[in-house]
């Protein structure tokens, strides 16, 4: 008999999101995006927040979704751009810029991998009415690339390079992503990590003492790593 699989709730969001669009969006929900997104990571944050550069004109009207990623993009001989894929980068590295960036850009969706801390969700994203979307596992760069329909503009490309420049993409059915944090500051990673840690000791019940003191062969995190 075929195993019955549970179906995750799936939504498509039109960008820029409007008031109410994110209400009731639960952690673990699968999300696809339509509209315009932009990339912005440490290079852009330093350029704008630390060096005082202006945001590209019209950006806050065009999009309120900031993707932490490195695009596999190239400039064609005719001046157009080709994008083979987009690879998310770890968002927690950008924590110190998030509060300022959300205030300045009015971003309501942050996309990346690894997430932010629970404190950042509750102290930074929640007051700004923003959520965090995480990519689904590794190796999805090419899959996400299929959702990019065109490059509307690129800013600071020569100065910052491909990975750090701000790319503005027109996207359709762009995803899948998972809702990692919601408008209440709940975190999928934190929730599931708590469940796993609560049962971690049970995995080692009845086993012999570890031969080596390295994690994975002992349930004591204070043991020396070899």
């Amino acid at each position: 008999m075929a195993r019955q699989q549970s179906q995750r709730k799936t939504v498509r969001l039109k960008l820029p999101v409007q008031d109410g669009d994110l209400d009731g969006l639960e952690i673990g929900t699968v999300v696809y995006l339509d509209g315009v997104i932009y990339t912005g990571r440490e290079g852009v944050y330093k350029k704008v927040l630390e060096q005082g550069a202006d945001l590209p004109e019209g950006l806050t009207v065009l999009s309120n979704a900031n993707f932490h990623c490195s695009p596999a993009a190239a400039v064609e001989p005719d001046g157009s751009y080709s994008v083979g894929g987009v690879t998310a980068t770890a968002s927690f590295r950008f924590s110190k810029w998030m509060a300022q960036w959300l205030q300045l850009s009015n971003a309501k969706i942050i996309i990346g991998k690894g997430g932010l801390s629970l404190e950042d969700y509750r102290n930074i994203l929640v007051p700004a009415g923003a959520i965090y979307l995480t990519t689904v596992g590794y190796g999805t760069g090419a899959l996400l690339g299929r959702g990019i329909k065109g490059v509307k503009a690129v800013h600071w490309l020569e100065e910052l390079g491909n990975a750090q420049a701000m790319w503005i993409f027109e996207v359709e059915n762009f995803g899948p992503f998972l809702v990692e944090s919601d408008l209440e500051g709940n975190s999928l990673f934190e929730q599931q990590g708590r469940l796993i840690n609560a049962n971690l000791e049970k995995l080692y019940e009845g086993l012999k003492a570890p031969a080596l003191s390295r994690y994975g062969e002992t349930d004591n995190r204070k043991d020396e790593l070899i």
Side-chain angles (χ1 to χ4, degrees):
M1 183 173 60
R3 184 175 61 180
Q4 186 175 8
Q5 296 182 343
S6 61
Q7 296 294 319
R8 283 194 175 275
K9 183 178 179 180
T10 300
V11 300
R12 286 182 71 166
L13 295 175
K14 181 176 177 56
L15 301 173
V17 291
Q18 305 299 316
D19 290 344
D21 287 350
L22 304 179
D23 293 351
L25 204 57
E26 300 175 345
I27 58 174
T29 299
V30 179
V31 174
Y32 291 85
L33 302 173
D34 299 300
V36 175
I37 67 166
Y38 62 86
T39 69
R41 45 188 295 184
E42 68 265 39
V44 169
Y45 297 152
K46 289 178 181 178
K47 182 75 178 175
V48 175
L49 300 177
E50 297 181 7
Q51 299 173 18
D54 292 331
L55 287 175
E57 185 176 357
L59 179 69
T60 57
V61 176
L62 194 62
S63 178
N64 51 13
N66 176 190
F67 192 8
H68 294 154
C69 81
S70 299
V75 182
E76 300 295 340
D78 63 358
S80 64
Y81 302 96
S82 62
V83 183
V86 283
T87 303
T89 192
S91 296
F92 57 82
R93 298 185 293 123
F94 314 133
S95 172
K96 68 178 182 179
W97 293 292
M98 281 294 93
Q100 281 183 278
W101 184 259
L102 293 181
Q103 183 178 16
L104 180 66
S105 69
N106 199 33
K108 299 301 180 185
I109 297 176
I110 301 296
I111 312 167
K113 72 175 182 182
L116 297 167
S117 70
L118 189 62
E119 291 75 18
D120 283 345
Y121 291 143
R122 294 180 175 174
N123 297 332
I124 299 176
L125 268 67
V126 168
I131 66 169
Y132 185 93
L133 302 181
T134 182
T135 51
V136 182
Y138 290 92
T140 58
L143 175 63
L144 293 175
R146 297 175 188 173
I148 296 177
K149 298 306 176 184
V151 178
K152 295 186 71 69
V154 188
H155 299 275
W156 307 301
L157 180 59
E158 292 187 3
E159 179 182 353
L160 300 179
N162 271 25
Q164 298 288 345
M166 176 182 283
W167 294 79
I168 301 178
F169 295 132
E170 185 174 359
V171 299
E172 181 180 353
N173 203 28
F174 186 56
F177 303 104
L178 290 177
V179 177
E180 149 58 6
S181 81
D182 61 16
L183 290 178
E184 302 299 321
N186 299 305
S187 166
L188 178 65
F189 292 161
E190 187 275 336
Q191 180 191 80
Q192 295 304 309
R194 185 163 19 96
L195 293 174
I196 292 171
N197 289 337
N199 295 296
L200 189 61
E201 291 185 2
K202 294 180 181 180
L203 294 175
Y204 296 93
E205 289 180 357
L207 297 179
K208 294 180 180 180
L212 296 175
S213 297
R214 65 185 182 190
Y215 195 66
E217 296 180 350
T218 173
D219 61 358
N220 188 344
R221 293 177 181 266
K222 295 182 180 180
D223 283 346
E224 180 183 4
L225 297 178
I226 297 178

